[in-house]
Amino acid sequence: MTTSQAFSGTPAPGFAPATGLVMAAVLCQQLGAAVAVLVFPAAGPLGIVTLRLAFSAIILLAVARPRLHGHSPRAWRAAIGLGVTMAAMNSLFYEAIARLPLGTAVTIEVLGPLVLSVVASRRAKALLWAALAFIGVALLGQEGLADLDVAGVCFALGAAACWALFILCNARTGATFPRLGGLALGMAVGAVVSLPGAILTAGTALLEPTVLGLGLGVALLSTAVPYSCELMALRRLPAATFSVLTCTAPAVAALAGFAVLGQKFGYMDAIAVALVVAASIGAIRTASPINAPRARHITSERRETGSAEKVP
């Protein structure tokens, strides 16, 4: 895919299949989150975070095979910062979905990249999209935010802030490591950082074969499969189109919560999700193509050349 195709919005060959790949990635991520909720009684949110990060790190390290020598202190600081941010983001998000419906938690969480996109655009009308998103969040729950678990909302807001920070850290890491190397090392750091909390809350349950198998399943659904789909899709889709498609995550999360977890989803929740999705798409279209952040988990590789796209 050429640079002009990436920023002009001209579809590259395979546009339709690539769109399907992005939607498959979004669906896998939310199904992975739903499966994680099912495992919480056995290993707790922090235990599943560690298993997800550990298995994901093993997969990425095997694929990327990053060098451990020859990196500058700046590069290692970037990888460590990415890992710590990843551990915090996932821990806060899993604590949120342990207390909130999946669709609600994801809707709140996307405020992080949305606000970052608004700030990056530096355009006054982008504030309208931010306002629309916050109106949507205020409508969440049948009785509004007051009807939701306060701790869950706080965890989701913390995850939102970490998501925005993750985008910045991921861009910095992608600029200092070739291809997936920095992300793989960051994932390993995240697994190590999250391990003490997992041991304290889950203990030996982490070593049970059933829990390990489900943790591997969560890692595949939430990380390995989506990463693969997105990397293939980004070679055929304009970056802005990719961003717009990933904005459907709150709606897909709500459907996954309903189908897998039996979580209720009222008409006010549907309106709230629709407003946040519309605001996310509007913020991306308002921002310049280079400044529009993409997804929380995507590597900074955008084209087959492996060049890094810097996100502000």
Side-chain angles (χ1 to χ4, degrees), residues 50 90 112 124-125 152 155 230 290 297:
T50 296
N90 283 282
K125 68 177 182 179
F155 281 126
E230 288 173 347
I290 292 179
H297 61 275

Side-chain angles (χ1 to χ4, degrees), residues 151-248:
V153 172
C154 291
F155 281 126
L157 289 172
C162 286
W163 188 348
L165 183 60
F166 171 83
I167 292 171
L168 300 175
C169 291
N170 199 23
R172 183 173 300 173
T173 304
T176 53
F177 286 89
R179 296 189 176 274
L180 292 171
L183 185 62
L185 292 174
M187 194 80 72
V189 170
V192 172
V193 170
S194 65
L195 183 58
I199 293 175
L200 287 174
T201 57
T204 57
L206 292 174
L207 301 178
E208 294 180 6
T210 301
V211 173
L212 287 172
L214 290 170
L216 175 60
V218 170
L220 290 172
L221 283 171
S222 299
T223 305
V225 174
Y227 275 27
S228 301
C229 290
E230 288 173 347
L231 285 173
M232 289 186 288
L234 281 166
R235 291 170 178 152
R236 299 174 176 86
L237 281 179
T241 302
F242 177 91
S243 299
V244 168
L245 290 172
T246 59
C247 289
T248 60

Side-chain angles (χ1 to χ4, degrees), residues 15-104:
F15 183 91
T19 300
L21 285 171
V22 178
M23 296 311 300
V26 174
L27 178 60
C28 281
Q29 290 161 13
Q30 304 313 324
L31 287 176
V35 172
V37 173
L38 295 175
V39 192
F40 285 170
L46 297 183
I48 299 304
V49 167
T50 296
L51 291 178
R52 173 188 169 178
L53 292 176
F55 282 121
S56 298
I58 291 170
I59 294 169
L60 282 176
L61 288 170
V63 171
R65 298 182 181 180
R67 291 183 296 105
L68 298 180
H69 303 287
H71 300 299
S72 67
R74 177 176 175 270
W76 278 111
R77 285 195 298 270
I80 292 171
L82 179 65
V84 171
T85 302
M86 208 178 306
M89 178 179 68
N90 283 282
S91 297
L92 290 168
F93 177 67
Y94 278 19
E95 290 288 355
I97 62 177
R99 296 167 173 82
L100 299 174
L102 182 57
T104 299

Side-chain angles (χ1 to χ4, degrees), residues 114 118 123-135 275 279 282-283 286:
L114 189 149
V118 168
R123 298 179 183 179
K125 68 177 182 179
L127 295 175
L128 297 176
W129 298 118
L132 183 65
F134 282 104
I135 290 172
L275 289 176
T286 299

Side-chain angles (χ1 to χ4, degrees), residues 247-267:
C247 289
T248 60
V252 176
L255 292 175
F258 174 78
V260 179
L261 303 173
Q263 295 174 341
K264 295 181 179 179
F265 193 70
Y267 72 94

